[in-house]
Amino acid sequence: MTETFQQILEKDQLSKEDIIRLLQSAKEDEKALFAKSSDVKLKHIGQNVHFRGLIEFSNICKKDCLYCGIRASNGKVNRYDIADEQILKAANFAYQHKYGSLVLQSGERTDPVFVDRIENLLHEIKKLSNNELGITISLGEQKRETYQKWFDAGAHRYLLRIESSNAELYEKIHPKNQNHSHSTRLKCLQYLKQIGYQTGTGVMIGLPFQTYEDLANDILFMKGFDIDMVGMGPFIEHDQTPLYQYKDQLMSLSDRFRLSLKMIAVLRIVMKDINIAAATALQAIDPLGREKALRIGANIIMPNITPTLERANYLLYQNKPCIDEGAEDCTNCMEARINMADGKIAYGEWGDSQHFKKRVK
Ligand code: SAH
Ligand code: SF4
């Protein structure tokens, strides 16, 4: 006899088939899934929501990912690189407003000037915040020595999305050259973990050619890799990228949104104590997208504190929210929204992954 949806939800271990069933749940079953994931979150994480002030400091990128609006081959992008002084000002804003942590993100560069500059910035951020700000970086694939250098300079979390755990699908969404290889990405994730970073990954949801089985495998990959943090969200097509040609084969945006929420819910049930971010891309589809994610399982939010002038140029996907607001507006807006989602902002704390703490004990 086949199990009921509720019976699957009550299992201790979910198989790939169970996960597929949960991801394919009909509208009437979604409620039960979200109630369960919300319970798991409250039990293992509590109501606390931690901030990561996000500084997208440069859109210069040497990579050419076929989905991304700031890929090197997109000649229509105004390239920018925010001066160190401005980055430090934004970091100071996060410190003064008790955000607890920040994320430095940019396009991928591996040249020595860049590597040294990041090292210096990390030292400066630690200094200006009396060692109090936690720092996550998300700067793509690097040499092991580079990851080590940045770790030694004070970064303690790293976000590198696997994009898809299916190597064949990964190849379809990246150019066919050595610069874009699934095995390198995996190796980088291993380096990060070995060095001692709290290691974060994630995938895009609703990619062309992606199946429910791929997504179930993504969740099992995160579990198998014993990841500490996850940021995942819907794929949103960008008309200046090669993947745009498949736009008619994609799920509707609202279906991608629902599926992203289900991915977060299932992941929360499978990995009870990791940090899960409510991705900004959710908000590009639904104005309350991130708050909905917090309610059903996410516990991290990344308010954008990039100096306003450059926000409109960091468009990985279209319809990106909050590109006109300043950081001050974001804080106020965020507080109201999180209260609405029954969350409590934990100001001034790092909000490390509890999973990581147990893993390295
Ligand atoms: N260059 C770094 C960090 C910036 S890109 C890196 O690639 O890791 C950060 C994330 O944006 C990527 O991992 C990818 O998952 C996401 N992204 C890029 N283009 C996107 C799109 N069109 N829709 C949704 N997410 C996208
Ligand atoms: Fe560059 Fe990251 Fe975009 Fe790829 S996803 S093109 S590495 S910014």
Side-chain angles (χ1 to χ4, degrees):
M1 215 180 69
T2 49
E3 289 159 314
T4 64
F5 194 80
Q6 197 59 41
Q7 282 169 327
I8 295 177
L9 278 179
E10 276 155 25
K11 282 180 158 183
D12 286 334
Q13 293 276 348
L14 295 176
S15 66
K16 188 192 330 183
E17 287 66 35
D18 294 332
I19 295 178
I20 293 174
R21 261 212 55 206
L22 296 180
L23 294 178
Q24 288 180 327
S25 55
K27 204 104 206 156
E28 61 269 21
D29 287 328
E30 266 175 23
K31 249 197 182 144
L33 168 63
F34 294 152
K36 166 86 184 185
S37 61
S38 171
D39 268 5
V40 171
K41 178 191 145 171
L42 288 175
K43 187 152 156 233
H44 293 265
I45 304 270
Q47 272 185 308
N48 277 357
V49 174
H50 284 97
F51 272 2
R52 313 275 182 253
L54 174 63
I55 311 176
E56 297 166 328
F57 66 89
S58 173
N59 63 0
I60 299 172
C61 187
K62 69 178 171 73
K63 286 266 185 103
D64 236 345
C65 308
L66 303 181
Y67 41 85
C68 180
I70 64 169
R71 61 198 298 270
S73 299
N74 185 1
K76 291 195 181 157
V77 179
N78 286 323
R79 302 286 167 178
Y80 71 86
D81 194 6
I82 296 177
D84 289 3
E85 214 171 82
Q86 294 295 319
I87 298 175
L88 294 175
K89 218 169 128 189
N92 194 43
F93 172 91
Y95 179 52
Q96 298 301 334
H97 287 77
K98 300 199 167 24
Y99 276 26
S101 291
L102 54 79
V103 182
L104 288 180
Q105 193 182 70
S106 73
E108 192 176 302
R109 280 177 59 182
T110 51
D111 52 283
V113 172
F114 182 79
V115 172
D116 291 347
R117 174 184 175 208
I118 297 298
E119 186 185 18
N120 175 56
L121 275 170
L122 292 168
H123 282 302
E124 292 296 322
I125 293 169
K126 282 287 170 192
K127 212 163 33 180
L128 75 81
S129 69
N130 196 24
N131 270 333
E132 286 172 29
L133 267 182
I135 311 178
T136 306
I137 48 178
S138 177
L139 307 168
E141 294 171 2
Q142 303 287 341
K143 289 195 289 212
R144 194 192 161 115
E145 299 87 89
T146 304
Y147 286 144
Q148 184 71 55
K149 201 181 249 190
W150 292 344
F151 185 78
D152 295 340
H156 68 134
R157 311 184 188 110
Y158 204 104
L159 277 178
L160 180 67
R161 288 186 174 182
I162 188 76
E163 314 297 359
S164 169
S165 60
N166 176 346
E168 276 172 37
L169 175 55
Y170 189 92
E171 274 176 31
K172 287 186 186 148
I173 60 169
H174 292 94
K176 294 201 188 338
N177 61 41
Q178 282 184 336
N179 243 342
H180 298 80
S181 107
H182 196 249
S183 57
T184 306
R185 186 138 304 206
L186 271 174
K187 209 165 57 196
C188 285
L189 281 169
Q190 270 149 4
Y191 289 156
L192 292 166
K193 208 165 154 191
Q194 287 159 5
I195 290 170
Y197 279 97
Q198 288 179 49
T199 307
T201 196
V203 295
M204 282 178 284
I205 297 154
L207 284 163
F209 321 114
Q210 193 178 43
T211 63
Y212 281 97
E213 188 176 3
D214 288 331
L215 291 168
N217 282 329
D218 288 342
I219 288 187
L220 294 173
F221 165 80
M222 292 171 199
K223 181 165 185 233
F225 201 91
D226 206 19
I227 214 77
D228 303 305
M229 349 182 271
V230 170
M232 59 181 171
F235 163 66
I236 302 177
E237 66 275 24
H238 188 298
D239 64 8
Q240 287 152 25
T241 63
L243 281 198
Y244 194 69
Q245 64 186 298
Y246 303 108
K247 68 176 190 316
D248 297 331
Q249 298 170 29
L250 300 173
M251 267 181 216
S252 71
L253 277 173
S254 64
D255 285 349
R256 273 177 261 170
F257 179 82
R258 296 308 296 175
L259 188 52
S260 299
L261 287 187
K262 289 190 216 175
M263 281 288 284
I264 291 176
V266 176
L267 181 66
R268 174 55 76 206
I269 294 170
V270 172
M271 299 191 82
K272 301 183 178 359
D273 56 359
I274 60 168
N275 277 349
I276 304 181
T280 313
L282 289 167
Q283 198 189 347
I285 301 182
D286 178 332
L288 288 174
R290 291 186 301 180
E291 292 71 15
K292 289 180 182 168
L294 290 176
R295 215 185 255 279
I296 57 98
N299 64 314
I300 301 287
I301 201 156
M302 310 201 315
N304 195 339
I305 55 167
T306 309
T308 320
L309 211 57
E310 299 299 355
R311 286 193 193 188
N313 290 320
Y314 198 83
L315 296 187
L316 308 179
Y317 46 84
Q318 282 164 319
N319 205 13
K320 197 167 173 234
C322 300
I323 56 177
D324 310 318
E325 276 130 275
E328 199 82 51
D329 306 329
C330 273
T331 319
N332 296 335
C333 159
M334 200 67 69
E335 193 159 299
R337 284 157 169 263
I338 289 169
N339 288 339
M340 236 162 38
D342 296 333
K344 273 208 314 253
I345 304 171
Y347 283 109
E349 295 179 4
W350 277 15
D352 280 343
S353 156
Q354 295 179 32
H355 187 78
F356 175 80
K357 290 185 201 159
K358 290 181 205 154
R359 182 163 76 71
V360 297
K361 221 177 4 203

